[in-house]
Amino acid sequence: GAAPVDVYWAPIGEPASRRLTHRVLIIADLFLPQCAKYRVWQKQAHFERLGISCTVTDWRRLPEGQSALQSHALAILYRVPGTKEVLALIEDATRLGVETIWEVDDLVFDVALYGRNANLATLKPALRRHLLEGAALYRCAMLAADRTIASTTVLATLMAAATGKPSDVVENALDAETLSFAEDARRAAASQPNAAHGNQHI
């Protein structure tokens, strides 16, 4: 007879969104603070304002993401490369019925277009090769996910064309901290004497 199916690895029959409280997991590259601010921490705050629990883990500590995956209905992978371990996690998410969304705010997934970037020509060959190999890994993760999120309509169009899957646009937003900095800068500028007016006396 056929070998028994290991119940721990058998696909689950219905989506996680029907079985679990709607919780969102963000597995992200948190290395660049400015990117994390706009694409990760703001998103977590938005979800929580909507009453949706949102967990953030660093992709470099993948066991944490793998563990959290078991209790979340949706997983967003921000700027995560398609390493063997990441692709295995996406495959496990599929088995668990957890929808995966790959997100990016830069053209790091298109090797051909990224390779035309004039800035790459100024880099040492080894670093340039490393960046292009990284682009290929980002593309692998993007293709493996169920859908994508982009920061602009141009990126979303390119992502949808590459994957054949839906791509949504979530633009960078202004949070309370950014608005507060902007207001402080406006007040500081308003308190300074008019430089152009002062130059008339020189």
Side-chain angles (χ1 to χ4, degrees):
V5 175
D6 186 335
V7 294
Y8 294 105
W9 296 107
I12 293 174
E14 61 179 348
S17 57
R18 292 185 192 166
R19 294 180 286 105
L20 302 172
T21 301
H22 199 69
R23 301 176 69 205
V24 176
L25 170 64
I26 301 177
I27 300 174
D29 184 347
L30 301 175
F31 180 71
L32 295 173
Q34 64 273 29
C35 292
K37 170 186 169 71
Y38 289 107
R39 305 309 301 180
V40 179
W41 305 122
Q42 279 187 1
K43 193 175 282 87
Q44 182 186 44
H46 291 164
F47 277 124
E48 294 186 346
R49 271 196 294 275
L50 293 170
I52 298 171
S53 175
C54 179
T55 303
V56 173
T57 65
D58 192 318
W59 85 268
R60 292 173 179 83
R61 294 196 293 270
L62 216 51
E64 290 181 17
Q66 180 70 51
S67 178
L69 188 66
Q70 315 304 310
S71 59
H72 290 71
L74 176 69
I76 299 172
L77 293 90
Y78 167 67
R79 214 179 175 96
V80 174
T83 63
K84 180 178 68 173
E85 294 78 13
V86 167
L87 295 178
L89 181 141
I90 294 173
E91 185 177 344
D92 199 32
T94 300
R95 181 184 66 81
L96 294 168
V98 178
E99 183 178 26
T100 53
I101 305 177
W102 192 79
E103 176 179 357
V104 80
D105 50 359
D106 195 1
L107 191 63
V108 294
F109 58 87
D110 192 310
V111 178
L113 290 176
Y114 194 50
R116 293 182 206 160
N117 187 328
N119 291 329
L120 290 179
T122 66
L123 303 176
K124 292 181 179 178
L127 179 55
R128 184 165 59 247
R129 186 169 55 254
H130 173 72
L131 290 173
L132 292 175
E133 287 170 358
L137 286 176
Y138 287 127
R139 188 178 186 85
C140 283
M142 179 181 74
L143 293 174
D146 294 314
R147 57 191 301 135
T148 58
I149 291 175
S151 57
T152 68
T153 54
V154 172
L155 277 176
T157 299
L158 290 169
M159 292 163 87
T163 65
K165 301 171 186 176
S167 186
D168 298 305
V169 177
V170 178
E171 297 177 340
N172 288 346
L174 297 175
D175 56 19
E177 180 187 48
T178 304
L179 291 172
S180 175
F181 286 154
E183 180 60 20
D184 290 346
R186 186 194 66 76
R187 286 189 184 132
S191 69
Q192 297 296 318
N194 187 314
H197 180 72
N199 288 341
Q200 294 175 2
H201 300 291
I202 294 176

